Amino acid sequence: MKYVSTRGTGELGRFSDVLLLGLAPDGGLAMPEHIPAFSPQTLEALRGLSYPELAFRVMRPFIDDIPEADLRRVLHATYHPDVFHSQDITPLTRLGAASPGQGELYLLELSNGPSLAFKDVAMQFLGQIFEYVLERRGEQLNILGATSGDTGSAAEYAMLGKARVNVFMLSPRGRMSAFQQAQMYSLNEPNIFNIAVEGVFDDCQDLVKAVNADADFKARFDIGAVNSINWARVLAQAVYYFKAYFALGLPPGAEADFSVPSGNFGNVFAGFLAKRMGLPVGQLIVATNENDVLNEFFSTGVYHVRPADRVAMTSSPSMDIGKASNFERYLYLIAGSSATHTLSWWDEVGQGRPVDLRGTSHWDEVKASGLLSGRNTHQGRLETIRRIDQQCGRLIDPHTADGVLIGERHQRRGVPMVCLETALPAKFGDTVQEAVKRAPERPERFAGIETAERYFDVLPNDVETLKAYIARKLRETVKVQEPA
Ligand SMILES: *Cc1c(COP(=O)(O)O)cnc(C)c1O
């Protein structure tokens, strides 16, 4: 399988190349040249497979530059019950019917991995496949990232003990939840560097951009990223849509709907990919919080990104975005894989202007694509957490609550609605406490984590200081031996 950029015609190589690439040289995102689809018969052959075996069958068509046995081995190591604390890896739980006469509501549990958020599902794969590809190439990678919480901890837990990968993770000093801080800063590992920046999340992101803009530094120190535009993350997430679909036990061809708490559009795009691969997905619901650029697009046909200073801080903070990076992949497919259209749209975006599809054939394509949306607020989150707790005896986190409420609004008679659980309530204890007046339970391995020793360095919001820090740490770190 060859990969191309959403904005150009040049080839980007094969899977292992785009794995390490980040953005394409023209600023676009990597996409497979075409999307192979299962026929109804080949789809049926996937029913009942174990998670790693299903992952192999779903991902293999997109990863043909790695020997079959090696890819299988990587997937079996990644999707192991010891890592995800469940034999099913992503178990499906029935919540019941939200209101009489409506279809059944389900929760797809994606958050039982090491950092208690769905990002683990893809990031754990990234950790394993990075190690494999870097080993084969005799290379090493220094990941530089910025986090407001979930991405950073998922990345750090995924790269633990990986000899060829170091992680430099910037976070805004004192601005993450107590649990998130403890989760990251309690790691005392030779290849993990937590950097608390004197600033806000946007400052951290700007620092990452500034380091990446220095091409010499970037090449000299093998700087890379694990952000949500990485194709391998999107691909790995498509697998659990298949897993959930088969767990529903529907007759062949019957549709299921999915509701997805959305920020950067990575998770819901993976669902769209699954649909394009032939999975009978009916509606895909894009659930947003008060930062509703995506809801605005799906309800009006106008996509207008917001500058960072117009992004509100909400109680589902991992969805606080003003632009959705993976959205470019969706519009590229909507335009029939046209880089020309994508390029002209993102020209507009780059100049702060809206992409307006009203009255065009592309808008008809959007409406035919099955994606719908809705927006939730703080009050709606609290009420949903409380109601699902009372009616179903199940505590959910604020992001999942956005998905559940918007999912219920779009429910169709007789069609199951699967709501993706994107984090465990323990991660966002304050909001859950506000909703149900009690603290959420947390997995035993995180008991008392707030009192654990913390390992992090504080740096000023200054790019030269950051570069000097990275250079110094890498000199101190024992370098990987080149293969003879
Ligand atoms: C990252 C995240 C999201 C948003 O997912 P996208 O793929 O960026 O749309 C939603 N909920 C939680 C808990 C997250 O960590």
Side-chain angles (χ1 to χ4, degrees), residues 1 3 31-32 34-44 46 54-63 231 234-243 245-246 268-281 284 333 369:
M1 174 70 74
Y3 286 83
M31 280 295 282
H34 66 107
I35 296 177
F38 294 101
S39 70
Q41 288 78 22
T42 50
L43 193 65
E44 273 312 299
L46 305 182
L54 180 64
F56 177 80
R57 304 284 190 91
V58 171
M59 295 164 80
R60 178 66 182 167
F62 300 93
I63 310 180
W231 169 254
V234 172
L235 180 59
Q237 288 169 356
V239 176
Y240 49 69
Y241 287 89
F242 285 82
K243 189 79 172 76
Y245 179 80
F246 291 121
V268 71
F269 180 77
F272 185 61
L273 179 65
K275 188 175 162 98
R276 283 283 171 108
M277 291 175 76
L279 191 70
V281 175
L284 267 170
L333 291 182
S369 73

Side-chain angles (χ1 to χ4, degrees), residues 117-119 150-151 228 233 237 260-268 294 318-319 321 326 397 399-400 422-423 428:
F118 88 98
K119 292 189 173 71
D150 288 344
T151 307
S228 74
R233 282 181 65 181
Q237 288 169 356
V260 190
S262 294
N264 261 322
F265 207 75
N267 203 357
V268 71
L294 290 169
S318 300
M319 292 155 60
I321 56 98
N326 276 292
D397 104 291
H399 307 78
T400 307
T422 54
F428 300 93

Side-chain angles (χ1 to χ4, degrees), residues 15-16 19-20 63 65-74 125-139 162 164-165:
F15 176 81
S16 306
L19 174 71
L20 302 170
I63 310 180
D65 57 341
I66 291 177
E68 216 174 280
D70 290 357
L71 181 60
R72 269 216 167 80
R73 191 166 38 73
V74 163
F125 171 66
L126 216 59
Q128 299 278 357
I129 199 76
F130 268 163
E131 186 83 337
Y132 173 84
V133 170
L134 292 169
E135 189 78 42
R136 273 213 315 191
R137 298 183 169 199
E139 292 175 10
K162 300 283 183 282
R164 289 175 178 274
V165 184

Side-chain angles (χ1 to χ4, degrees), residues 417-439:
M417 173 66 75
V418 179
C419 302
L420 274 52
E421 181 175 52
T422 54
L424 286 197
K427 242 186 147 160
F428 300 93
D430 290 350
T431 304
V432 174
Q433 172 96 34
E434 187 181 346
V436 296
K437 311 295 176 224
R438 67 176 201 278

